[in-house]
Amino acid sequence: MDATFVLLPGDGIGPEIVAQARRVLELIGTRFGHHFVFHTGLIGGAAIDATGDPLPDETIRMCTEADGVLLGAVGGPKWDDPNAKTRPEAGLLRIRKELGLFANLRPIKTFPELVDASPLKREVVEGTDILFFRELTGGIYFGPSSLEELPDGGYRASSTMVYDTHEIERIFRLAAEAARRRRNKLTMVDKANVLEASRLWRRVCAELAATEFPDVEYEVVLVDAMAMHLISRPTSFDVVVTENLFGDILTDEASMLPGSLGMLPSASLGAEGPGLYEPVHGSAPDIAGKGIANPLATILAAALMLRHSCQLEEEAVAIERAVQDVLATGARTADIARGSQRVLSTVEMTDLILAALQ
Ligand code: IPM
Ligand code: MN
């Protein structure tokens, strides 16, 4: 097949890891006889430096014409000034909105070889396999916000969590359909004991669960309790669906279950158009440029891109299997190495993946 991918390396370790994922995609193209075209665009701090805008129009245009978008990471201390006109993160939020990417899928799966790298006990995390559906274009991230100066010299700031029925329905349906293809269990997380927006989530989801998905085992959990259950009994969850901010926080928490953030990919999908794929980890400015970052999350994100945006299931599985096999041989980057294991560079790790794919 022919496919066009946009690479958005971004900041920090972004360029290093996206370059490695590209090598993997190129090899897949050759091995399976596909014609992949790559374009590279600006986003985040790199885009601010070059154009003053964290998401230049040119990048949006490129992305809307692509089959899939692979993003590295955005942000870093250089652009952290709270008084700055704009921030790298604004580019990320805008591209989600521009591309209509309302569903953020974050699979949290333990790799048997890495269980001991988890800060939690083996008997707690072993077998964890959760698929999060985080709503990504609504809620408090995009609701009205304000900052006003008060007569007493202080300030008042507000951010508002807003949801419409249809925004809840569309992500709930995706999550429930995914549950059917997995272990058939769906957990919806909210704060309905306090928030009006959560009460709407609870009502809308209960209705859909009963009418459209009576065969799916359905439960609701309050977000504070979920924070606790995630680290006490993670294996009891299958698919989890929740609103934007809760999903942001819970998926960072859950990312510690498998041991390293360096292993986790994510996919952001809309009703149509290209999906956006990225590692869950950030730009890691402390190790940027050193050639030691773990490229596996981005390589696994590339696999998700082949699966969800190109329907290339066999190719996606080939990459996932290569990662698994290479880990099984004891290959480790610094973030996942333990004891006397030899530490590989970003490029060396990718070389092994490429060799496993040959
Ligand atoms: C994420 C990040 C972003 C978010 C930031 C960088 C805006 O934390 O993708 O989870 O909060 O959505
Ligand atoms: Mn986050």
Side-chain angles (χ1 to χ4, degrees):
M1 77 174 285
D2 285 333
T4 302
F5 300 125
V6 170
L7 307 176
L8 302 177
D11 309 318
I13 59 172
E16 302 162 47
I17 53 183
V18 168
Q20 301 312 307
R22 177 182 180 150
R23 293 174 68 205
V24 172
L25 287 168
E26 279 169 346
L27 182 76
I28 291 282
T30 311
R31 198 188 121 185
F32 289 87
H34 302 303
H35 184 234
F36 294 154
V37 175
F38 298 92
H39 298 302
T40 301
L42 285 167
I43 194 168
I48 295 177
D49 289 350
T51 70
D53 182 349
L55 187 67
D57 290 345
E58 170 64 8
T59 300
I60 302 173
R61 192 193 54 74
M62 252 160 64
C63 292
T64 47
E65 287 167 9
D67 294 291
V69 179
L70 186 67
L71 174 86
V74 298
K78 183 174 173 196
W79 306 279
D80 262 349
D81 177 2
N83 298 315
K85 253 193 6 265
T86 182
R87 299 174 54 90
E89 290 79 4
L92 188 57
L93 297 179
R94 231 184 101 209
I95 198 168
R96 290 173 180 168
K97 202 69 172 175
E98 294 279 349
L99 299 179
L101 306 172
F102 66 85
N104 182 217
L105 282 63
R106 295 188 170 180
I108 304 285
K109 200 171 163 161
T110 44
F111 286 85
E113 296 80 11
L114 298 183
V115 168
D116 292 316
S118 173
L120 297 171
K121 293 193 194 82
R122 168 179 279 273
E123 45 297 8
V124 173
V125 292
E126 202 161 38
T128 297
D129 181 2
I130 307 174
L131 178 56
F132 276 89
F133 279 76
R134 167 189 173 193
E135 201 290 326
L136 203 60
T137 51
I140 201 163
Y141 273 64
F142 294 94
S145 69
S146 67
L147 177 66
E148 64 177 297
E149 205 173 341
L150 298 175
D152 69 359
Y155 286 86
R156 174 175 296 149
S158 75
S159 304
T160 323
M161 187 185 285
V162 183
Y163 274 105
D164 291 0
T165 304
H166 86 96
E167 293 176 287
I168 302 168
E169 284 174 347
R170 65 187 177 180
I171 187 145
F172 184 90
R173 286 196 177 101
L174 282 188
E177 281 156 12
R180 269 186 184 149
R181 293 189 299 270
R182 291 169 48 100
R183 300 191 303 280
N184 210 36
K185 181 167 177 201
L186 179 59
T187 304
M188 193 277 287
V189 178
D190 67 21
K191 187 73 184 172
N193 51 350
V194 176
L195 302 176
E196 196 60 49
S198 279
R199 285 193 278 275
L200 182 63
W201 270 77
R202 193 162 288 203
R203 195 145 45 81
V204 170
C205 294
E207 170 82 20
L208 285 185
T211 55
E212 295 182 21
F213 301 94
D215 54 310
V216 175
E217 186 192 333
Y218 177 62
E219 65 171 358
V220 292
V221 179
L222 291 170
V223 64
D224 48 353
M226 187 66 183
M228 184 175 65
H229 298 325
L230 262 182
I231 54 171
S232 61
R233 49 174 181 90
T235 54
S236 62
F237 300 103
D238 177 13
V239 176
V240 177
V241 64
T242 189
E243 69 88 43
N244 202 345
L245 180 62
F246 299 162
D248 179 49
I249 298 168
L250 291 176
T251 55
D252 259 34
E253 186 193 9
S255 72
M256 278 294 101
L257 299 169
S260 172
L261 209 48
M263 300 299 304
L264 299 176
S266 95
S268 301
L269 309 175
E272 54 188 12
L276 177 94
Y277 304 84
E278 58 183 313
V280 168
H281 62 70
S283 61
D286 51 320
I287 58 163
K290 295 191 179 155
I292 59 169
N294 183 348
L296 295 177
T298 316
I299 289 170
L300 291 168
L304 291 182
M305 180 164 78
L306 296 179
R307 170 174 295 126
H308 294 288
S309 285
C310 307
Q311 280 69 54
L312 295 177
E313 179 64 23
E314 193 189 342
E315 289 80 346
V317 169
I319 294 174
E320 288 162 352
R321 193 164 299 144
V323 169
Q324 189 101 43
D325 290 350
V326 165
L327 285 175
T329 67
R332 302 285 188 270
T333 42
D335 57 317
I336 49 176
R338 295 182 55 95
S340 60
Q341 282 174 323
R342 192 169 86 81
V343 171
L344 300 177
S345 70
T346 311
V347 171
E348 286 170 330
M349 177 59 100
T350 313
D351 288 344
L352 293 179
I353 303 291
L354 295 176
L357 278 170
Q358 286 292 350

